[in-house]
Amino acid sequence: MNRESYTDWIATLTRKLEEDDRYLALLAGGSMIDGTTDAYSDLDLVLVYNERHRADILTERMTFAGGIGPLLSGFTGEHVGEPRLVVCLYGPPPMHVDLKFVTPRELESRIEDPLILWQRGTAASEALARTSPVPLTMNPQWIEDRFWVWIHYGAAKLGRGELFECIDFLAFLRNSVFGPMLAARRGREPRGVRKLETFLSEDELQALRGTVAEYSVESCYQAFQVCIGLYRELRREASGGVSLREEAERVAVAYLHKIYIEK
């Protein structure tokens, strides 16, 4: 996606919003906020509308999305817990665009302050001005309460020989545990494994690579062992006085070892 493609596309979208008085603003999030949009970025756009028209807007949003440009495919965002979202692929050339339809009141709950690209009146800017974003945070206790249960789960799948499940589950641990904890170590927002390659040290990346398994019992077992060691290291650095689940840790680690020995 080049800059000319998305600026022309946004101009077309803005004209459509100007012609429809149900819409109040067009906002941009993600990489457009800090100017880091590149050829591989998607567009994160927020369409603010008058709450009186909620039913019609939500019913017509796919039709609306199709009217902006050549929509190759689109679907709503229930898979990420965001039914207000429409995920779109336009093209050619291909361009990924996320359109989120919100009211001014819904705009008050957000993780970042978006750019205002266009607005009718001041409802959107006032909603932003009277509230503050709540950035994503990493909760060490939330992770500790779950981590050893997750290790037991992975060990059970290893014991059953479900290696594809083990490989997928290791990816889940990277996204839910190690990505956020490593990002927090670096003072970054915890966004799974997004952009870790751009700010982690080579030692950190090497440790994370150790959690990637091949399709074998040995590789999956060793990757789980790396996960355990890496988690213990990161846990020691966590602030806030984490209450350790020591017995769960002992049982889960012993179970993983038992499963491996029996294999």
Side-chain angles (χ1 to χ4, degrees):
M1 178 184 68
N2 58 50
R3 184 176 181 84
E4 182 178 353
S5 295
Y6 79 75
T7 53
D8 289 347
W9 189 91
I10 288 175
T12 300
L13 171 58
T14 302
R15 287 193 294 272
K16 285 184 64 67
L17 296 176
E18 290 173 337
E19 295 167 359
D20 190 334
D21 61 11
R22 298 175 300 175
Y23 287 96
L24 304 176
L26 173 63
L27 314 178
S31 60
M32 289 187 69
I33 294 176
D34 56 14
T36 59
T37 303
D38 61 23
Y40 306 103
S41 297
D42 54 14
L43 297 183
D44 297 305
L45 301 176
V46 179
L47 284 64
V48 186
Y49 64 89
N50 189 311
E51 190 167 4
R52 293 197 305 270
H53 303 288
R54 176 189 295 275
D56 290 341
I57 292 291
L58 295 184
T59 298
E60 300 168 7
R61 57 197 166 147
M62 290 301 304
T63 302
F64 181 90
I68 303 169
L71 180 63
L72 302 175
S73 187
F75 53 91
T76 53
E78 286 82 1
H79 65 294
V80 291
E82 184 50 271
R84 300 172 298 178
L85 180 69
V86 177
V87 182
C88 303
L89 179 64
Y90 291 92
M95 182 172 63
H96 180 134
V97 182
D98 290 340
L99 301 172
K100 185 159 73 171
F101 295 76
V102 305
T103 66
R105 183 179 302 176
E106 291 171 334
L107 189 59
E108 296 177 3
S109 177
R110 62 193 187 279
I111 62 172
E112 60 188 5
D113 277 332
L115 294 176
I116 299 178
L117 303 180
W118 166 84
Q119 69 172 325
R120 189 195 319 275
T122 59
S125 56
E126 288 176 2
L128 295 174
R130 65 174 172 262
T131 56
S132 298
V134 180
L136 296 171
T137 58
M138 189 273 298
N139 185 335
Q141 188 64 61
W142 186 91
I143 294 175
E144 173 68 12
D145 291 344
R146 291 159 175 78
F147 187 77
W148 304 112
V149 179
W150 288 337
I151 290 297
H152 174 268
Y153 176 90
K157 302 311 171 190
L158 185 65
R160 190 180 286 161
E162 297 182 24
L163 299 186
F164 285 125
E165 177 68 12
C166 289
I167 292 168
D168 274 359
F169 193 66
L170 286 160
F172 165 80
L173 292 178
R174 284 192 297 275
N175 191 70
S176 301
V177 177
F178 303 120
M181 295 187 83
L182 287 165
R185 173 194 267 181
R186 292 289 175 173
R188 305 292 188 109
E189 281 194 332
R191 293 180 178 269
V193 295
R194 289 289 307 279
K195 300 185 178 180
L196 292 184
E197 291 88 349
T198 66
F199 59 83
L200 292 187
S201 70
E202 182 53 38
D203 286 344
E204 289 168 328
L205 290 172
Q206 179 65 31
L208 203 55
R209 285 195 288 270
T211 70
V212 179
E214 297 179 356
Y215 187 82
S216 74
V217 170
E218 178 68 26
S219 182
C220 289
Y221 171 74
Q222 293 301 333
F224 279 122
Q225 289 287 9
V226 171
C227 286
I228 290 169
L230 180 57
Y231 175 65
R232 285 169 169 165
E233 175 188 338
L234 293 170
R235 184 180 63 180
R236 285 194 295 271
E237 302 173 7
S239 60
V242 176
S243 177
L244 302 183
R245 306 304 183 192
E246 294 177 337
E247 185 63 8
E249 177 178 354
R250 184 189 67 78
V251 170
V253 172
Y255 182 68
L256 174 64
H257 182 67
K258 177 177 180 292
I259 288 293
Y260 175 65
I261 293 300
E262 291 175 350
K263 284 290 184 182

